[in-house]
Amino acid sequence: MFSDDQIETFARDGVLFLPGLLDRHWQNACLDAWQWSISHPGPLASGLLPGSNAAFQDLCNPGARTVYGDIIHRSPLAATAASLWRGSPVWYMYEQVFHKRDGAAGRTPWHQDTSYLAVDGDHLIGYWISFEALPATHTLEFVKGSHRGTLYNTTRFDPEDPTLPIFPSDSVPSLPDIEASRGDYDIVSWPVVPGDVIAFHTSILHGGGAVDTTVRDRRTLTLRFFGADAVAARRPGVAGPFYEDIRALQPGEPFRHPRFPAVWPQQGTTQ
């Protein structure tokens, strides 16, 4: 499905732009699922940015599994992960929806998703899907190769100091102020239209995506998957947006749980 160059680029950079990955059918399916999530907020729904009413997020909604079922099992996303991981089986982790609106939501501070998750490994992927056409200045930005570097502490998204961690820890370093020294980092972003997907390793440093007078509404969906080499890990504070029983996994154990369905290979197919 992908060339060796594309597979090696994703492994090296931690991010890959996939123009037109989703056809109109899957675009509509993803938007319908996003709209369900917005209309049925779960227990983890919240404002995305402290002090702003113009940004909303929800994730790990217990009722979402059946709504997203066709997407996680039959869309190109699982097969894409398997191809980028050279044939690894694929499991689905969880959904996350975002809505920035009214032209008033600022950029999302730099962070790494894996800092919030009790999992490690090369086979971790998030797919970022926008339902609006956006210029590169309003999509996500990524620090190339940072998934191979330090895993920093979780950020509380404080607008005054985006490096402040949620859970102070002597063992995990706080984020550097990337925005204040952008020239020191290899930052990439892409303009997108509906159907485009950005695939990224969940440990890559990323942020951005403001809305303003030029882009007043930004509806996005992120779906996360993992592969065969993913293992359980420990993080400061909670174990991420999962339930207590996930914490029973010991560090280094295969990251497997009935909550995470196997989605590739599909039934009746071979790797």
Side-chain angles (χ1 to χ4, degrees):
M1 184 174 182
F2 291 99
S3 68
D4 283 345
D5 283 347
Q6 288 173 304
I7 292 170
E8 290 167 7
T9 295
F10 182 68
R12 180 189 67 243
D13 294 348
V15 62
L16 190 65
F17 178 50
L18 303 172
L21 182 68
L22 301 179
D23 64 18
R24 183 61 60 86
H25 168 77
W26 291 117
Q27 292 172 42
N28 290 338
C30 287
L31 180 56
D32 287 346
W34 181 92
Q35 290 173 328
W36 180 91
S37 291
I38 295 298
S39 300
H40 300 81
L44 297 178
S46 67
L48 176 62
L49 303 172
S52 172
N53 294 321
F56 171 84
Q57 69 165 343
D58 195 13
L59 68 162
C60 297
N61 188 323
R65 181 64 52 78
T66 56
V67 177
Y68 286 81
D70 279 349
I71 298 166
I72 64 177
H73 285 279
R74 298 182 178 87
S75 80
L77 298 176
T80 294
S83 181
L84 290 172
W85 297 331
R86 298 188 184 278
S88 169
V90 180
W91 290 262
Y92 173 68
M93 198 180 300
Y94 67 97
E95 90 295 342
Q96 188 168 15
V97 298
F98 303 92
H99 191 193
K100 291 186 175 183
R101 59 193 183 275
D102 302 330
R107 64 172 287 121
T108 302
W110 292 96
H111 64 286
Q112 296 158 294
D113 291 351
T114 312
S115 297
Y116 302 87
L117 306 176
V119 61
D120 277 324
D122 288 333
H123 293 169
L124 298 171
I125 197 167
Y127 292 110
W128 190 81
I129 300 162
S130 173
F131 302 111
E132 274 74 46
L134 299 170
T137 52
H138 290 71
T139 62
L140 288 190
E141 296 181 314
F142 301 86
V143 177
K144 288 170 60 176
S146 57
H147 65 304
R148 297 287 185 185
T150 301
L151 186 67
Y152 296 101
N153 209 327
T154 54
T155 172
R156 67 183 68 174
F157 285 16
D158 187 304
E160 300 299 322
D161 184 353
T163 71
L164 291 176
I166 296 177
F167 303 109
S169 169
D170 292 335
S171 62
V172 184
S174 295
L175 279 161
D177 192 347
I178 296 169
E179 195 62 18
S181 52
R182 291 174 61 93
D184 295 339
Y185 299 91
D186 190 359
I187 296 173
V188 294
S189 63
W190 295 268
V192 299
V193 297
D196 295 346
V197 176
I198 299 176
F200 62 96
H201 190 287
T202 58
S203 292
I204 196 170
L205 286 159
H206 61 284
V211 294
D212 55 22
T213 56
T214 61
V215 176
R216 300 194 61 84
D217 198 56
R218 200 196 74 166
R219 301 168 297 168
T220 56
L221 167 66
T222 297
L223 298 173
R224 295 176 177 86
F225 298 78
F226 63 92
D229 89 336
V231 296
R234 286 285 180 264
R235 300 285 181 256
V238 298
F242 306 123
Y243 300 95
E244 289 291 330
D245 52 348
I246 301 299
R247 296 195 217 182
L249 294 173
Q250 296 301 307
E253 281 191 78
F255 192 70
R256 310 287 186 271
H257 192 276
R259 182 167 297 110
F260 306 131
V263 295
W264 188 265
Q266 295 174 340
Q267 187 173 3
T269 68
T270 57
Q271 294 186 51

